[in-house]
Amino acid sequence: MIGLTRREVLRGGALASTAVLAGCNDSMNTASITDSSDAMSERRALDYIRPCSAQITEQFNPDDDAHIDIGPLTFANVLDYLPTIDVASGGKSVKARLIIDPGTGVTLTVPEAEREHVALDYNQTNWYTNGTPLDTAQQTVRFEACESDTPRQYNGGIVVTSSRCVTLEVGIDGETSPRKAVLPVGTKCES
């Protein structure tokens, strides 16, 4: 089997990795992220670990200029639609598909200062027909490192209460400091 690069996946190549397991129960998809701080303890029930088995195999044809790359992580196609989204007062869940290089673990975190208006929406068990409410979304999501020779894709997104430039912390296994990702939701942001 020949592995695909992240760019080949972005160009619509088929993933050779495991598809989403049908009939997974909640215990296979959720776990607590441990942290000794009081703030994290309060949010622990809302945090989530996305296992390798929860990746998607859907193919798509993106615009090469529409991605935000942060090291081994790509927010795919977000520049195509995020700046144009009309975010109604009260909040909206918006799609932000991720592609992660093989063998890499990544943790997304909403910084403390953003948490009143921003959350993550990558827990499939919490998805609702009309979007995920801010108070049931996650503040930290861990994407496990997978033994694979192809990039992994994960569906999901972010929840916002209004148009904004959303800053997320991107923790990459093996790096000592998180990187920053800025997503333009309902507005344009300086890069």
Side-chain angles (χ1 to χ4, degrees):
M1 177 170 66
I2 297 173
L4 301 174
T5 66
R6 180 169 29 150
R7 206 40 73 185
E8 288 168 328
V9 170
L10 286 169
R11 294 191 188 284
L15 280 177
S17 52
T18 309
V20 175
L21 295 176
C24 289
N25 65 34
D26 204 31
S27 65
M28 291 177 65
N29 288 330
T30 59
S32 294
I33 295 176
T34 58
D35 188 304
S36 59
S37 72
D38 291 338
M40 283 301 292
S41 297
E42 291 174 18
R43 299 296 304 209
R44 187 170 292 142
L46 303 178
D47 292 341
Y48 181 65
I49 294 178
R50 188 84 182 253
C52 298
S53 61
Q55 61 187 302
I56 61 172
T57 58
E58 175 185 337
Q59 297 178 24
F60 61 103
N61 295 311
D63 173 351
D64 283 338
D65 296 328
H67 312 300
I68 295 175
D69 293 317
I70 310 292
L73 171 111
T74 296
F75 289 93
N77 286 26
V78 294
L79 297 177
D80 274 342
Y81 63 90
L82 281 185
T84 64
I85 288 176
D86 180 23
V87 180
S89 179
K92 182 172 183 124
S93 179
V94 295
K95 186 174 184 177
R97 180 193 314 244
L98 300 180
I99 299 175
I100 303 173
D101 284 350
T104 305
V106 173
T107 302
L108 290 182
T109 302
V110 177
E112 193 69 42
E114 300 265 341
R115 292 183 178 188
E116 190 174 325
H117 303 286
V118 178
L120 300 168
D121 193 17
Y122 289 94
N123 183 344
Q124 301 149 291
T125 61
N126 284 347
W127 290 342
Y128 299 94
T129 315
N130 296 322
T132 303
L134 187 72
D135 62 352
T136 63
Q138 308 90 54
Q139 297 299 325
T140 301
V141 178
R142 168 81 179 151
F143 297 87
E144 293 182 329
C146 301
E147 295 299 323
S148 171
D149 59 354
T150 59
R152 298 163 288 139
Q153 296 184 72
Y154 295 96
N155 53 354
I158 57 174
V159 180
V160 293
T161 59
S162 62
S163 297
R164 62 193 331 101
C165 294
V166 172
T167 300
L168 299 176
E169 294 175 356
V170 180
I172 299 168
D173 288 2
E175 295 187 4
T176 56
S177 299
R179 299 185 191 195
K180 300 271 188 223
V182 178
L183 305 177
V185 182
T187 188
K188 295 193 184 273
C189 302
E190 291 185 30
S191 38

PDB file of all heavy atoms in Angstrom, residues 12-29:
ATOM      1  N   GLY A  12      -8.220  15.287  -2.965  1.00  0.00           N
ATOM      2  CA  GLY A  12      -9.305  14.334  -3.203  1.00  0.00           C
ATOM      3  C   GLY A  12      -8.863  12.892  -3.261  1.00  0.00           C
ATOM      4  O   GLY A  12      -9.633  12.035  -3.663  1.00  0.00           O
ATOM      5  N   GLY A  13      -7.636  12.596  -2.860  1.00  0.00           N
ATOM      6  CA  GLY A  13      -7.184  11.210  -2.858  1.00  0.00           C
ATOM      7  C   GLY A  13      -7.922  10.398  -1.814  1.00  0.00           C
ATOM      8  O   GLY A  13      -8.371  10.896  -0.796  1.00  0.00           O
ATOM      9  N   ALA A  14      -8.085   9.125  -2.062  1.00  0.00           N
ATOM     10  CA  ALA A  14      -8.798   8.250  -1.126  1.00  0.00           C
ATOM     11  C   ALA A  14      -7.903   7.930   0.052  1.00  0.00           C
ATOM     12  O   ALA A  14      -6.712   7.722  -0.087  1.00  0.00           O
ATOM     13  CB  ALA A  14      -9.194   6.957  -1.830  1.00  0.00           C
ATOM     14  N   LEU A  15      -8.476   7.879   1.218  1.00  0.00           N
ATOM     15  CA  LEU A  15      -7.726   7.465   2.402  1.00  0.00           C
ATOM     16  C   LEU A  15      -7.699   5.947   2.476  1.00  0.00           C
ATOM     17  O   LEU A  15      -8.709   5.293   2.249  1.00  0.00           O
ATOM     18  CB  LEU A  15      -8.390   7.997   3.682  1.00  0.00           C
ATOM     19  CG  LEU A  15      -8.096   9.438   4.026  1.00  0.00           C
ATOM     20  CD1 LEU A  15      -8.874   9.841   5.266  1.00  0.00           C
ATOM     21  CD2 LEU A  15      -6.627   9.631   4.264  1.00  0.00           C
ATOM     22  N   ALA A  16      -6.556   5.405   2.815  1.00  0.00           N
ATOM     23  CA  ALA A  16      -6.444   3.963   2.934  1.00  0.00           C
ATOM     24  C   ALA A  16      -6.563   3.524   4.377  1.00  0.00           C
ATOM     25  O   ALA A  16      -6.330   2.379   4.696  1.00  0.00           O
ATOM     26  CB  ALA A  16      -5.095   3.512   2.366  1.00  0.00           C
ATOM     27  N   SER A  17      -6.922   4.445   5.248  1.00  0.00           N
ATOM     28  CA  SER A  17      -6.979   4.134   6.666  1.00  0.00           C
ATOM     29  C   SER A  17      -8.376   3.724   7.094  1.00  0.00           C
ATOM     30  O   SER A  17      -9.306   3.720   6.317  1.00  0.00           O
ATOM     31  CB  SER A  17      -6.495   5.329   7.470  1.00  0.00           C
ATOM     32  OG  SER A  17      -7.203   6.466   7.068  1.00  0.00           O
ATOM     33  N   THR A  18      -8.515   3.392   8.337  1.00  0.00           N
ATOM     34  CA  THR A  18      -9.752   2.878   8.895  1.00  0.00           C
ATOM     35  C   THR A  18     -10.882   3.884   8.818  1.00  0.00           C
ATOM     36  O   THR A  18     -10.710   5.034   9.145  1.00  0.00           O
ATOM     37  CB  THR A  18      -9.527   2.517  10.383  1.00  0.00           C
ATOM     38  OG1 THR A  18      -8.384   1.685  10.451  1.00  0.00           O
ATOM     39  CG2 THR A  18     -10.729   1.810  10.952  1.00  0.00           C
ATOM     40  N   ALA A  19     -12.053   3.423   8.412  1.00  0.00           N
ATOM     41  CA  ALA A  19     -13.235   4.291   8.345  1.00  0.00           C
ATOM     42  C   ALA A  19     -13.850   4.411   9.727  1.00  0.00           C
ATOM     43  O   ALA A  19     -13.499   3.679  10.653  1.00  0.00           O
ATOM     44  CB  ALA A  19     -14.245   3.707   7.370  1.00  0.00           C
ATOM     45  N   VAL A  20     -14.794   5.315   9.858  1.00  0.00           N
ATOM     46  CA  VAL A  20     -15.507   5.472  11.113  1.00  0.00           C
ATOM     47  C   VAL A  20     -16.201   4.164  11.437  1.00  0.00           C
ATOM     48  O   VAL A  20     -16.845   3.564  10.588  1.00  0.00           O
ATOM     49  CB  VAL A  20     -16.557   6.605  11.018  1.00  0.00           C
ATOM     50  CG1 VAL A  20     -17.380   6.690  12.279  1.00  0.00           C
ATOM     51  CG2 VAL A  20     -15.872   7.921  10.728  1.00  0.00           C
ATOM     52  N   LEU A  21     -16.027   3.682  12.642  1.00  0.00           N
ATOM     53  CA  LEU A  21     -16.650   2.425  13.025  1.00  0.00           C
ATOM     54  C   LEU A  21     -18.141   2.604  13.208  1.00  0.00           C
ATOM     55  O   LEU A  21     -18.583   3.461  13.951  1.00  0.00           O
ATOM     56  CB  LEU A  21     -16.039   1.910  14.339  1.00  0.00           C
ATOM     57  CG  LEU A  21     -14.571   1.533  14.286  1.00  0.00           C
ATOM     58  CD1 LEU A  21     -14.095   1.149  15.669  1.00  0.00           C
ATOM     59  CD2 LEU A  21     -14.340   0.409  13.317  1.00  0.00           C
ATOM     60  N   ALA A  22     -18.902   1.790  12.527  1.00  0.00           N
ATOM     61  CA  ALA A  22     -20.359   1.860  12.671  1.00  0.00           C
ATOM     62  C   ALA A  22     -20.742   1.283  14.018  1.00  0.00           C
ATOM     63  O   ALA A  22     -20.211   0.270  14.454  1.00  0.00           O
ATOM     64  CB  ALA A  22     -21.024   1.064  11.548  1.00  0.00           C
ATOM     65  N   GLY A  23     -21.654   1.942  14.658  1.00  0.00           N
ATOM     66  CA  GLY A  23     -22.178   1.451  15.926  1.00  0.00           C
ATOM     67  C   GLY A  23     -21.251   1.636  17.106  1.00  0.00           C
ATOM     68  O   GLY A  23     -21.394   0.941  18.099  1.00  0.00           O
ATOM     69  N   CYS A  24     -20.270   2.525  17.033  1.00  0.00           N
ATOM     70  CA  CYS A  24     -19.406   2.781  18.183  1.00  0.00           C
ATOM     71  C   CYS A  24     -20.249   3.301  19.327  1.00  0.00           C
ATOM     72  O   CYS A  24     -21.132   4.110  19.131  1.00  0.00           O
ATOM     73  CB  CYS A  24     -18.353   3.833  17.846  1.00  0.00           C
ATOM     74  SG  CYS A  24     -17.099   3.240  16.734  1.00  0.00           S
ATOM     75  N   ASN A  25     -19.964   2.829  20.514  1.00  0.00           N
ATOM     76  CA  ASN A  25     -20.713   3.376  21.638  1.00  0.00           C
ATOM     77  C   ASN A  25     -19.936   4.514  22.260  1.00  0.00           C
ATOM     78  O   ASN A  25     -18.772   4.734  21.959  1.00  0.00           O
ATOM     79  CB  ASN A  25     -21.068   2.285  22.652  1.00  0.00           C
ATOM     80  CG  ASN A  25     -19.840   1.689  23.312  1.00  0.00           C
ATOM     81  OD1 ASN A  25     -18.861   2.373  23.531  1.00  0.00           O
ATOM     82  ND2 ASN A  25     -19.906   0.412  23.633  1.00  0.00           N
ATOM     83  N   ASP A  26     -20.589   5.246  23.107  1.00  0.00           N
ATOM     84  CA  ASP A  26     -20.006   6.443  23.706  1.00  0.00           C
ATOM     85  C   ASP A  26     -18.720   6.149  24.451  1.00  0.00           C
ATOM     86  O   ASP A  26     -17.804   6.949  24.460  1.00  0.00           O
ATOM     87  CB  ASP A  26     -21.045   7.067  24.634  1.00  0.00           C
ATOM     88  CG  ASP A  26     -20.783   8.539  24.840  1.00  0.00           C
ATOM     89  OD1 ASP A  26     -20.257   9.201  23.942  1.00  0.00           O
ATOM     90  OD2 ASP A  26     -21.121   9.018  25.928  1.00  0.00           O
ATOM     91  N   SER A  27     -18.625   4.970  25.080  1.00  0.00           N
ATOM     92  CA  SER A  27     -17.430   4.673  25.865  1.00  0.00           C
ATOM     93  C   SER A  27     -16.197   4.521  24.986  1.00  0.00           C
ATOM     94  O   SER A  27     -15.085   4.693  25.441  1.00  0.00           O
ATOM     95  CB  SER A  27     -17.636   3.405  26.696  1.00  0.00           C
ATOM     96  OG  SER A  27     -17.789   2.288  25.831  1.00  0.00           O
ATOM     97  N   MET A  28     -16.373   4.211  23.699  1.00  0.00           N
ATOM     98  CA  MET A  28     -15.238   4.099  22.793  1.00  0.00           C
ATOM     99  C   MET A  28     -14.771   5.462  22.305  1.00  0.00           C
ATOM    100  O   MET A  28     -13.652   5.599  21.852  1.00  0.00           O
ATOM    101  CB  MET A  28     -15.615   3.252  21.577  1.00  0.00           C
ATOM    102  CG  MET A  28     -15.840   1.796  21.905  1.00  0.00           C
ATOM    103  SD  MET A  28     -16.352   0.881  20.466  1.00  0.00           S
ATOM    104  CE  MET A  28     -14.899   1.017  19.450  1.00  0.00           C
ATOM    105  N   ASN A  29     -15.626   6.457  22.389  1.00  0.00           N
ATOM    106  CA  ASN A  29     -15.313   7.747  21.783  1.00  0.00           C
ATOM    107  C   ASN A  29     -14.988   8.846  22.770  1.00  0.00           C
ATOM    108  O   ASN A  29     -14.563   9.910  22.357  1.00  0.00           O
ATOM    109  CB  ASN A  29     -16.486   8.225  20.927  1.00  0.00           C
ATOM    110  CG  ASN A  29     -16.602   7.417  19.665  1.00  0.00           C
ATOM    111  OD1 ASN A  29     -15.615   6.932  19.152  1.00  0.00           O
ATOM    112  ND2 ASN A  29     -17.817   7.266  19.176  1.00  0.00           N
TER     113      ASN A  29
END
